[in-house]
Amino acid sequence: MGEVTLFSNRVYIPTAMTGVYGPAEDSFLLLRHAIGRIKGAVLDMGTGSGVLAVEAAQEPGVTSVFAVDIDPEALRVARGRAEAAGVLGKMVFTVGDLFESLGDARFDWILFNPPYLPSEGETDEASWAGGEVGYEVFLRFLAVAEEHLNPGGGIIAVVSSRTELDLDEVERKYNVEILEELPLFFEGLYCLLLRPL
Ligand SMILES: C[S@@+](CC[C@H](N)C(=O)[O-])C[C@H]1O[C@@H](n2cnc3c(N)ncnc32)[C@H](O)[C@@H]1O
């Protein structure tokens, strides 16, 4: 068993070598800005182990949580986490590339901790490879995310300094607020709150 992390009195056991992204600094950075802020219908894009989705489902003001991932194995792990937490009844799990499985569904809050490392070719895994330069998946997400938000809705996302994402480009479509900057040894992580202009 790997290292055990404590957050808000709950214990997380990192996923074994399944290729599913276990909770890490970026997950917890996003989580601490989502808790207490999100309510209504929530989408956890790229749910991975389901850590954000299951915590979201336990928030009193949250009515439903959709957990989406391109990796079916991630949804299996996320569903198990939801079952253990007793929140399955509040959740929906769908496999798909970004919004493709969601039709025209809209949400009050969308959470996304995207894959952001540059592709390395055949060894790529969906959990970390975000495209040739690293942020293509996130840009594809941003291109349509606003169409899936209810009026007044917002997006909480994490980006890394390693993506060299141009925030000016994001600001053409969204009001961008940096909620926290977390310096790590090898990169800086930013937790962003985005609202459509
Ligand atoms: C960095 S992990 C984050 C996992 C989890 N949300 C967390 O914070 O710990 C990124 C997740 O996005 C998923 N993903 C990658 N590309 C995707 C896509 N095009 N559509 C949906 N999910 C995707 C990966 O499978 C992975 O589970």
Side-chain angles (χ1 to χ4, degrees):
M1 188 189 300
E3 189 183 324
V4 173
T5 312
L6 275 174
F7 183 81
S8 63
N9 298 324
R10 297 185 185 103
V11 177
Y12 294 110
I13 301 162
T15 50
M17 301 301 287
T18 57
V20 175
Y21 193 86
E25 285 94 342
D26 45 9
S27 323
F28 294 117
L29 171 62
L30 199 160
L31 193 52
R32 65 177 168 266
H33 291 282
I35 296 304
R37 181 178 265 125
I38 55 174
K39 43 177 92 79
V42 175
L43 168 64
D44 180 26
M45 181 58 75
T47 196
S49 70
V51 59
L52 305 178
V54 169
E55 285 291 335
Q58 292 173 85
E59 281 289 275
V62 168
T63 51
S64 62
V65 179
F66 275 63
V68 172
D69 208 288
I70 201 165
D71 175 7
E73 180 62 13
L75 291 169
R76 196 189 61 73
V77 173
R79 181 182 283 276
R81 184 184 290 270
E83 198 167 10
V87 291
L88 260 187
K90 233 179 173 181
M91 299 185 62
V92 177
F93 299 86
T94 64
V95 181
D97 180 6
L98 297 176
F99 294 94
E100 73 172 7
S101 63
L102 295 174
D104 54 6
R106 287 180 180 264
F107 304 90
D108 298 300
W109 286 95
I110 302 178
L111 314 177
F112 194 22
N113 178 15
Y116 54 72
L117 294 180
S119 166
E120 290 178 3
E122 283 178 7
T123 57
D124 280 2
E125 286 176 13
S127 59
W128 54 264
E132 207 164 303
V133 271
Y135 53 76
E136 288 94 328
V137 171
F138 190 51
L139 287 186
R140 278 202 295 123
F141 163 85
L142 290 178
V144 288
E146 62 173 326
E147 294 163 24
H148 292 273
L149 279 173
N150 285 326
I155 297 166
I156 307 175
V158 171
V159 294
S160 164
S161 54
R162 292 170 83 181
T163 64
E164 294 176 22
L165 176 70
D166 182 358
L167 276 187
D168 290 344
E169 195 174 330
V170 180
E171 280 176 330
R172 286 201 200 108
K173 261 185 122 145
Y174 297 90
N175 177 274
V176 180
E177 186 184 341
I178 298 177
L179 297 172
E180 187 178 338
E181 190 178 337
L182 181 66
L184 296 178
F185 177 61
F186 50 91
E187 65 183 331
L189 295 177
Y190 301 86
C191 185
L192 306 180
L193 172 57
L194 309 175
R195 291 189 189 273
L197 293 176

